[in-house]
Amino acid sequence: MSVKEIFESMDYGPAPEAAGDALAWIVDRGARFGHFINGSFTDAGDGFETKNPATGEVLATLTQASQEDVDAAVAAARAAQPAWESLGGKGRARHLYAIARLLQKHARLFAVLETLDNGKPIREARDIDVPLAQRHFYYHAGLAQLVGSELPDRRALGVCGQVIPWNFPLLMLAWKVAPALAMGNTVVLKPAEWTSLTALCFADLCQQAGLPDGVVNIVTGDGAVGEMVVRSDVDKVAFTGSTEVGRKIREATAGRDIALSLELGGKSPFIVFEDADIDSAVEGVVDAIWFNGGQVCCAGSRLLVQEGIADVFHARLKARMANLRVGDPLDKCIDVGAIVDPAQKARIAQLVDGSGGEVYRACTAPDGCFYPPTLISGLSSADPLMQEEIFGPVLVSTTFRTPSEAVQLANDTRYGLAASVWSENLNTALDIAPKLAAGVVWVNGTNMFDAAAGFGGVRESGFGREGGWEGARAYTRPVATLGPREKVSGFTGASVEPLAVDRTAKMYIGGKQVRPDGGYAKAVYAADGTLIAQAPIANRKDLRNAVEAARGAGGWAAATAHNRAQVLYYIAENLSARAGEFAALIDRQTGGDTGKAEVEAAVDRLFSYAAWADKFEGAVKPVPARAVAMALHEPCGVIGALCSDDAPLLGFVSAMAPIIAMGNRAVLVASEPFPLAALEFMQVLETSDVPAGVVNILTGSHSELGATLATHMGIDAVWSFSSTELAETIEAGAANVLKRTWVPSGAIDWMGDDAEGRVFLEAATEVKTVWVPYGA
């Protein structure tokens, strides 16, 4: 027998990982756990069993939290937060460093415990989950050390309620707890019902690290406990999980003036071009969909292969599938472990069994809670398996002919979490990456993560980023805030029609002045009761027309930043030329004498955003890998904004300018009581080279138009500087498609420095992280 034949005849022998230490940790605590509240464990109460999904063996009994338990945890966090924040960033950094070091010292314990509780292969828990958790605490310890100098105008939010899923129990904990603590917040964490053991082990570790009592609190239980945490007296909710639950959380938090970040489901495309390294791409598929048994929100579950290589690619993929090993997760030779729970396995089977495609399986799975790697082809893009998240080791495949078709297929989903592009031509890869609706794009790779690189989605994959400075800032708020924004009423008077000159203003839609669809207008009076003009009253159809015009102006996003800056400079110059006219109009509408100052500030603001247009830079993240991770600022798309009543021109300009500076298109609802300055502004736009549809101006009821903006499928984000009472309407309405909303918590001093700059630019952009590995 030749050496080659000997090697080909060899098979992997078992390489089991000892579970004794992890089981001993459970037994030493009586295999019964209470909650971790105010620095200590409560007595175990009535609850539920957590099992090893690979064997069905009961590992421990956990306590189902009650409302009283959640209230106690929140109260403990609230009491501890002022002292924790006042410790300062450098003091908090010491605690985070201690946690990171302890995670390293007990790395094997956490890895084995994660595998026992979750069913993922020990190699994944040992080599990916635990090291990344350590990295997050180290990285955020560094952010805490620097926060005083780098974010001097920001402070902690307060108490953060955090709800995490079962697919990466320890890693998701680290993603949320580390930045919250670094920025000076305290937390109440609810781990997943099926996988709570590593969170409880982490609580044990917090005691060892000397973390002050109440800074970290952990309550266990089912989804009802998560709902209690969301509805409790917290200042931020951070959730990772399904889109369905995320939508309910958006509704539950609407109008409560609390921060929210959602990292939700995905149906990520894995795009392979004809010039790709086929063998590397096949290995990429293995990592993309069979990592953690496909139980990954950003799993590359939709394979898109260019037609010219489709047959070859699928043949090699099937050959690779035949060599995948499914079995005992504690065996270091296993590729695919157990499904987390029989209920999840049943859901996967139900979805696959209802498919009409060609199902291919090359290996079998052991009896029990296991599911074999599966490839399904022959489906249309509209098929449920091509659209819905399966959350299991199931890959669906189709083909494409041209790059543009690849982009169309990739974006044909309600999700937008991640995508993977494979091509040896970097021009092709970097041409496709910006066109994909995804928060993260991997080029010739997949499942690359790091604490320095922001991660998160768009569309119904949620909003907010975790990791990097962008993730940390989401756990902060401005140091100073003003009171709530009150509804402003205009003046009344007696009609004196007809006017000497018809001053019936029109709206501005698609670059044209248009009359309202409903044919209604309202009188706008001066402080002395005399009629100034009639302002149109927009309805749902007018808003629809404005949105259609804005979506048709998508070329604005492709314009260079320099070009957008030039347009903003033109707008500023043209407004300055008519400064006296606008100042008089503002004073007559508002009955004040600040019109001149407001116009001057509006001109300055336009110049500021013209300057920012090509200076709001992305970053290359210093990730510990042979890769470039580029954080790119991309426009959100079409942004609808309810403009401020306090400063009818300056508030309008302060919303419009950052929106269009970043390449978005705007649908702006002018000040309700004082709309004329915004309507007069359309003449400035007409002489400033603003492409049709980039800016659209409506007037009318903020409450009626705001509700429509929030629910309109063509609006990608909604800003509201109207009265605070509209916050709930807007945030609840946006839950339908989980669009971004920005409703500042307090009034804004539009003449002040805080009324412009980075916070507006961040609201006008999405961060897309593009990973490009390099090296032979």
Side-chain angles (χ1 to χ4, degrees):
M1 181 178 288
S2 68
V3 173
K4 180 177 182 294
E5 290 172 333
I6 292 174
F7 273 104
E8 288 177 346
S9 67
M10 294 176 68
D11 199 359
Y12 286 92
E17 175 73 30
D21 288 347
L23 294 173
W25 180 84
I26 296 172
V27 171
D28 288 347
R29 285 147 187 81
R32 290 179 59 84
F33 292 87
H35 313 296
F36 185 71
I37 299 175
N38 202 28
S40 61
F41 283 95
T42 65
D43 293 335
D46 295 335
F48 53 95
E49 296 175 335
T50 183
K51 300 178 180 180
N52 180 342
T55 64
E57 174 190 1
V58 174
L59 297 171
T61 300
L62 308 181
T63 301
Q64 172 76 8
S66 64
Q67 185 66 59
E68 290 73 19
D69 294 324
V70 173
D71 291 344
V74 173
R78 181 70 64 192
Q81 195 274 326
W84 177 247
E85 184 175 10
S86 65
L87 187 61
K90 295 179 179 179
R92 296 192 297 272
R94 299 297 185 271
H95 287 284
L96 290 169
Y97 280 128
I99 291 173
R101 286 195 295 271
L102 284 168
L103 277 171
Q104 284 183 310
K105 292 176 182 178
H106 300 288
R108 192 55 63 96
L109 169 63
F110 276 97
V112 175
L113 199 58
E114 194 82 312
T115 293
L116 288 172
D117 204 23
N118 172 274
K120 65 176 58 187
I122 184 64
R123 287 188 295 117
E124 294 178 6
R126 180 196 66 195
D127 299 340
I128 299 173
D129 294 39
V130 175
L132 270 175
Q134 298 163 4
R135 164 71 173 154
H136 271 268
F137 278 99
Y138 273 123
Y139 177 83
H140 286 94
L143 291 191
Q145 186 79 15
L146 302 174
V147 67
S149 60
E150 296 302 308
L151 299 177
D153 58 341
R154 310 287 292 184
R155 61 167 300 182
L157 290 169
V159 176
C160 299
Q162 303 178 326
V163 181
I164 59 175
W166 44 260
N167 55 342
F168 292 94
L170 179 66
L171 184 54
M172 292 296 100
L173 177 151
W175 280 24
K176 287 182 167 48
V177 171
L181 299 191
M183 296 298 105
N185 304 279
T186 53
V187 303
V188 176
L189 178 88
K190 206 290 285 187
E193 177 185 6
W194 290 336
T195 55
S196 299
L197 290 182
T198 47
L200 295 170
C201 190
F202 177 81
D204 198 354
L205 185 145
C206 288
Q207 290 179 317
Q208 297 177 44
L211 198 68
D213 294 348
V215 171
V216 169
N217 305 271
I218 298 173
V219 291
T220 55
D222 58 16
V225 179
E227 185 177 349
M228 294 175 197
V229 172
V230 168
R231 295 186 180 277
S232 64
D233 180 26
V234 294
D235 302 293
K236 171 167 180 163
V237 171
F239 171 76
T240 295
S242 72
T243 295
E244 178 185 359
V245 175
R247 186 174 289 111
K248 294 177 180 178
I249 291 174
R250 170 71 283 184
E251 292 172 348
T253 56
R256 288 172 50 191
D257 190 22
I258 64 175
L260 175 65
S261 61
L262 299 173
E263 195 263 281
L264 308 175
K267 194 69 177 175
S268 300
F270 189 102
I271 308 169
V272 185
F273 285 93
E274 288 178 338
D275 61 357
D277 180 331
I278 294 180
D279 290 329
S280 295
V282 167
E283 288 303 312
V285 171
V286 172
D287 186 35
I289 185 59
W290 293 305
F291 169 61
N292 198 22
Q295 299 167 114
V296 183
C297 53
C298 56
S301 55
R302 286 188 300 146
L303 175 61
L304 311 179
V305 185
Q306 199 159 15
E307 283 187 359
I309 61 167
D311 291 343
V312 172
F313 189 90
H314 285 102
R316 295 192 194 181
L317 177 59
K318 290 176 180 179
R320 183 66 179 88
M321 289 173 66
N323 291 308
L324 292 174
R325 298 173 298 277
V326 184
D328 179 9
L330 283 173
D331 186 340
K332 290 185 281 290
C333 292
I334 289 301
D335 297 306
V336 181
I339 301 300
V340 69
D341 189 87
Q344 178 63 16
K345 178 188 174 183
R347 179 183 180 276
I348 296 167
Q350 181 181 20
L351 287 169
V352 173
D353 293 344
S355 165
E358 178 185 338
V359 178
Y360 177 83
R361 298 186 180 101
C363 59
T364 59
D367 292 337
C369 201
F370 295 89
Y371 198 90
T374 301
L375 171 65
I376 303 177
S377 57
L379 301 176
S380 72
S381 184
D383 190 279
L385 284 192
M386 293 288 286
Q387 293 292 328
E388 298 302 322
E389 188 175 37
I390 301 173
F391 228 64
V394 180
L395 177 68
V396 293
S397 178
T398 191
T399 61
F400 65 91
R401 293 182 178 179
T402 65
S404 59
E405 186 184 5
V407 172
Q408 182 181 16
L409 288 170
N411 291 340
D412 184 20
T413 173
R414 59 194 174 100
Y415 297 110
L417 188 54
S420 185
V421 179
W422 291 76
S423 172
E424 288 299 285
N425 187 331
L426 199 57
N427 288 328
T428 298
L430 295 183
D431 175 57
I432 296 299
K435 299 175 181 178
L436 299 176
V440 179
V441 178
W442 297 297
V443 173
N444 292 333
T446 190
N447 286 338
M448 290 181 278
F449 310 101
D450 186 65
F455 181 88
V458 297
R459 295 180 172 178
E460 293 193 29
S461 289
F463 47 80
R465 294 294 180 265
E466 294 184 289
W469 279 108
E470 55 267 40
R473 279 180 61 90
Y475 282 92
T476 67
R477 61 180 173 86
V479 170
T481 56
L482 303 176
R485 298 184 302 281
E486 303 294 341
K487 186 175 178 61
V488 177
S489 298
F491 301 110
T492 59
S495 175
V496 292
E497 289 280 18
L499 292 169
V501 178
D502 181 15
R503 294 291 295 168
T504 302
K506 300 180 180 67
M507 297 180 297
Y508 191 62
I509 297 175
K512 300 177 182 178
Q513 298 186 33
V514 299
R515 295 184 182 277
D517 171 73
Y520 289 98
K522 77 167 187 175
V524 180
Y525 293 95
D528 62 4
T530 60
L531 182 68
I532 305 175
Q534 297 282 347
I537 300 176
N539 62 18
R540 294 170 63 94
K541 186 175 179 181
D542 295 313
L543 193 147
R544 182 202 68 186
N545 294 339
V547 173
E548 288 180 355
R551 298 209 73 84
W556 180 247
T560 66
H562 173 76
N563 177 254
R564 296 196 298 268
Q566 295 304 303
V567 171
L568 283 161
Y569 283 130
Y570 295 155
I571 297 173
E573 292 167 358
N574 288 327
L575 176 60
S576 180
R578 298 180 57 187
E581 180 183 344
F582 273 91
L585 180 59
I586 292 169
D587 288 343
R588 193 175 180 202
Q589 279 188 103
T590 63
D593 59 1
T594 61
K596 180 179 179 181
E598 186 174 333
V599 175
E600 290 175 350
V603 172
D604 284 343
R605 196 136 293 161
L606 286 162
F607 271 97
S608 292
Y609 285 113
W612 271 115
D614 58 1
K615 298 173 187 67
F616 187 53
E617 301 161 340
V620 175
K621 300 291 187 169
V623 296
R626 290 177 61 81
V628 176
M630 299 176 288
L632 309 176
H633 288 131
E634 293 191 336
C636 295
V638 176
I639 298 180
L642 300 177
C643 298
S644 171
D645 293 335
D646 301 327
L649 176 66
L650 182 56
F652 172 87
V653 168
S654 296
M656 179 203 73
I659 289 174
I660 66 173
M662 293 297 100
N664 302 282
R665 291 88 74 200
V667 176
L668 305 169
V669 182
S671 165
E672 186 172 345
F674 311 124
L676 298 182
L679 293 177
E680 195 73 17
F681 193 82
M682 71 178 69
Q683 297 180 14
V684 174
L685 296 173
E686 288 175 330
T687 58
S688 301
D689 293 346
V690 180
V694 171
V695 178
N696 303 274
I697 305 171
L698 305 176
T699 54
S701 167
H702 279 197
S703 60
E704 293 178 12
L705 294 175
T708 306
L709 281 174
T711 57
H712 198 294
M713 299 287 286
I715 296 284
D716 299 298
V718 179
W719 298 1
S720 177
F721 306 111
S722 189
S723 59
T724 305
E725 67 187 28
L726 289 181
E728 182 175 359
T729 297
I730 291 166
E731 291 174 343
N736 182 45
V737 291
L738 288 167
K739 69 181 65 173
R740 286 177 59 181
T741 61
W742 183 31
V743 185
S745 59
I748 296 175
D749 176 10
W750 292 105
M751 300 293 289
D753 293 338
D754 292 339
E756 68 173 64
R758 287 187 174 275
V759 65
F760 286 78
L761 297 169
E762 289 167 358
T765 54
E766 297 281 7
V767 175
K768 174 181 282 185
T769 304
V770 178
W771 288 76
V772 183
Y774 59 83

